[in-house]
Amino acid sequence: MINESEKIYIVRCGETALKGQNKSYFERMLVQRIRKLLSGMKGVSIERVDGLIFVRTGLDIDGTEVLKKVGRVFGVDSISPAVEINFDGMDAETALDEIGHAAADFAMELIRTKGIKTFKIDARRADKMFPIESPMIARRMGAYVLKGCKVLKVDVHEPDAKLFVNVRRGRAYIYETKISGFGGLPLGTNGKGLVLLSGGIDSPVAAFVMSHRGMYIDAVHFHSFPYTSERAYEKVRELASILAGYCGRIRMHSINLLPIQEQIVQNCPEEETTILVRRFMMKIAERVAAEEESMMLITGESLGQVASQTAESLVVTDQAVSMPVMRPLIAMDKTEIMATAKEIGTYEVSIQPYEDCCTVFLPKHPVTRPRLERILASESRLDCEGLINAALENQTIDVIFPKEDW
């Protein structure tokens, strides 16, 4: 009997399915994330059965919205709208008859909506107690479809549509599409990190990549008001809002770096300005990370992209903190980073021409091979602790939620 009282979606786990003895933990975290994301929809139920997740909604719920939301959940490999046939208590032949008629009706709908002319059956018998094996199920289903849809032909090589038939305990599922998700690991399975979020292309992508590996993300943003504008700040808030659609809500600390920059310009060699400012950013970010109980810092640096991202500069920068620094984009070129930014929806915001703090007091000839002892000597001319404390005392904290239309 076909279940016509609700819409059903089959959600498949990606990497989560390979976690061995920890598999159930990762699946539970994935279910929690899907449930939270769909909590605003009435009548939604979610269950985990033998490595698959089944999402059930009322008939009035917009299926496109369900697919969009679930497809963005990290840990989801793919999702399929499906038809469910309940054959619990039936003998095998009667069950096949029910499934076969449902398959023919499903194919007829594909003829109407997509104009298909050829098809192929892909059958899977998840319940090994069911007495008919997968190849025979596929042949029998094909016969039902050919009988019920006279215009169709079988094409096992390049069919217009592939009909999947999944026979499980007491139920069968028929579907045609597998809509790809982002894969990765469910949020919360790998702790929390703090991203240094600028208004550029790279750092939002770095946040996304680490979140894709199961890490909760918070952010620290540095500005140089009034040299940087309110609109530049709003641009960063918009980027954080887009990221929140994937990462969950983000606590963003905003810190004015201008007093520190002014002291560096007045007391230190001009060519060292960029690396000194970067070290202060890291020191401040480490304090914020400790406050937020983050395990590590995350940056969008890519090796050799600019003067502060040479190997020597990165080594000197890392010496400023004791916390691990993750650079997920380190070996990616700009083209790869831009492609990811376009895919996740941050690119068009990132390229808006608003200034950031890194463009303030930019030296004409920044040092590309800094020596740590010289940088430390320059820092000794500054009241580092006082400047850091003052910056933190004047910070603002915003909780950023996903864009309403995201």
Side-chain angles (χ1 to χ4, degrees):
M1 181 179 298
I2 298 177
N3 181 355
E4 297 179 341
S5 64
E6 58 190 358
K7 295 179 181 178
I8 298 163
Y9 306 86
I10 301 174
V11 180
R12 299 170 196 84
C13 308
E15 194 175 338
T16 297
L18 306 176
K19 289 299 178 181
Q21 293 182 347
N22 294 321
K23 177 182 175 181
S24 61
Y25 163 71
F26 282 87
E27 287 179 352
R28 286 198 306 273
M29 294 293 287
L30 185 55
V31 168
Q32 288 177 19
R33 178 63 179 155
I34 294 172
R35 184 173 286 126
K36 182 176 181 180
L37 209 59
L38 299 182
S39 60
M41 297 181 177
K42 293 182 179 180
V44 174
S45 68
I46 303 168
E47 62 176 342
R48 178 170 57 99
V49 182
D50 298 332
L52 291 179
I53 296 170
F54 293 87
V55 177
R56 301 171 184 273
T57 75
L59 298 177
D60 59 332
I61 298 296
D62 183 4
T64 303
E65 188 68 15
V66 173
L67 293 171
K68 184 172 73 171
K69 287 180 177 293
V70 176
R72 283 205 307 269
V73 174
F74 294 136
V76 171
D77 181 68
S78 64
I79 178 171
S80 297
V83 171
E84 181 182 62
I85 302 95
N86 186 341
F87 61 84
D88 194 29
M90 300 179 185
D91 61 71
E93 286 299 323
T94 305
L96 276 187
D97 192 55
E98 287 283 333
I99 301 168
H101 283 105
D105 290 343
F106 192 94
M108 187 63 75
E109 183 65 13
L110 291 177
I111 294 171
R112 187 184 69 82
T113 58
K114 296 185 177 183
I116 69 168
K117 297 180 180 179
T118 60
F119 75 101
K120 175 185 176 180
I121 300 290
D122 187 324
R124 293 287 185 271
R125 182 186 60 152
D127 177 17
K128 300 307 179 185
M129 298 298 291
F130 192 78
I132 302 175
E133 296 181 348
S134 299
M136 180 56 71
I137 294 174
R139 286 194 289 271
R140 297 280 294 274
M141 292 301 105
Y144 275 99
V145 172
L146 289 171
K147 183 178 179 180
C149 308
K150 304 293 187 182
V151 298
L152 289 183
K153 295 181 179 180
V154 174
D155 184 341
V156 297
H157 300 294
E158 295 183 1
D160 294 336
K162 183 185 288 186
L163 273 63
F164 296 90
V165 179
N166 189 334
V167 178
R168 307 179 75 83
R169 188 173 303 174
R171 286 175 170 78
Y173 299 89
I174 300 172
Y175 53 91
E176 184 240 345
T177 56
K178 289 185 178 181
I179 300 167
S180 296
F182 276 112
L185 297 174
L187 281 175
T189 55
N190 264 321
K192 183 165 70 170
L194 181 78
V195 64
L196 280 69
L197 186 64
S198 72
I201 295 171
D202 302 338
S203 58
V205 174
F208 172 86
V209 171
M210 293 303 290
S211 186
H212 181 260
R213 300 309 302 161
M215 181 167 281
Y216 281 126
I217 299 294
D218 283 327
V220 57
H221 169 64
F222 295 97
H223 60 87
S224 300
F225 185 79
Y227 287 88
T228 55
S229 65
E230 182 66 25
R231 185 62 189 89
Y233 173 68
E234 289 302 320
K235 169 185 171 180
V236 176
R237 281 183 56 91
E238 186 173 0
L239 287 171
S241 183
I242 294 172
L243 288 173
Y246 303 101
C247 311
R249 71 168 181 80
I250 296 173
R251 279 173 59 87
M252 188 170 79
H253 298 247
S254 299
I255 295 173
N256 192 346
L257 207 61
L258 182 60
I260 293 174
Q261 291 172 299
E262 290 175 333
Q263 287 298 307
I264 291 173
V265 169
Q266 293 171 17
N267 295 283
C268 302
E270 180 190 4
E271 67 273 11
E272 295 178 356
T273 301
T274 300
I275 195 70
L276 287 167
V277 168
R278 192 66 183 171
R279 281 171 58 87
F280 268 96
M281 288 181 177
M282 300 297 279
K283 291 176 180 180
I284 293 170
E286 185 176 41
R287 298 274 192 96
V288 173
E291 177 184 328
E292 292 290 352
E293 299 183 342
S294 293
M295 303 166 60
M296 58 190 63
L297 303 179
I298 302 165
T299 77
E301 291 160 318
S302 174
L303 188 62
Q305 192 173 120
V306 295
S308 63
Q309 296 176 23
T310 63
E312 294 86 351
S313 294
L314 295 178
V315 169
V316 171
T317 299
D318 282 358
Q319 293 292 327
V321 296
S322 58
M323 181 173 285
V325 181
M326 296 291 109
R327 295 183 171 94
L329 313 185
I330 192 68
M332 295 175 65
D333 62 35
K334 198 67 175 184
T335 303
E336 294 175 289
I337 297 169
M338 289 167 59
T340 303
K342 291 174 182 178
E343 181 183 5
I344 66 177
T346 57
Y347 179 78
E348 293 299 328
V349 178
S350 291
I351 62 174
Q352 292 175 8
Y354 297 103
E355 65 289 328
D356 63 40
C357 67
C358 294
T359 63
V360 178
F361 305 120
L362 193 65
K364 292 182 179 179
H365 303 288
V367 61
T368 58
R369 294 185 176 181
R371 292 172 58 181
L372 181 59
E373 61 271 18
R374 291 183 179 178
I375 298 300
L376 292 176
S378 296
E379 283 184 354
S380 68
R381 304 171 192 172
L382 306 170
D383 178 12
C384 294
E385 194 66 18
L387 289 169
I388 291 171
N389 288 337
L392 289 169
E393 286 173 6
N394 293 297
Q395 69 176 306
T396 59
I397 303 174
D398 293 315
V399 180
I400 310 295
F401 292 93
K403 291 177 65 174
E404 291 182 2
D405 60 343
W406 191 246

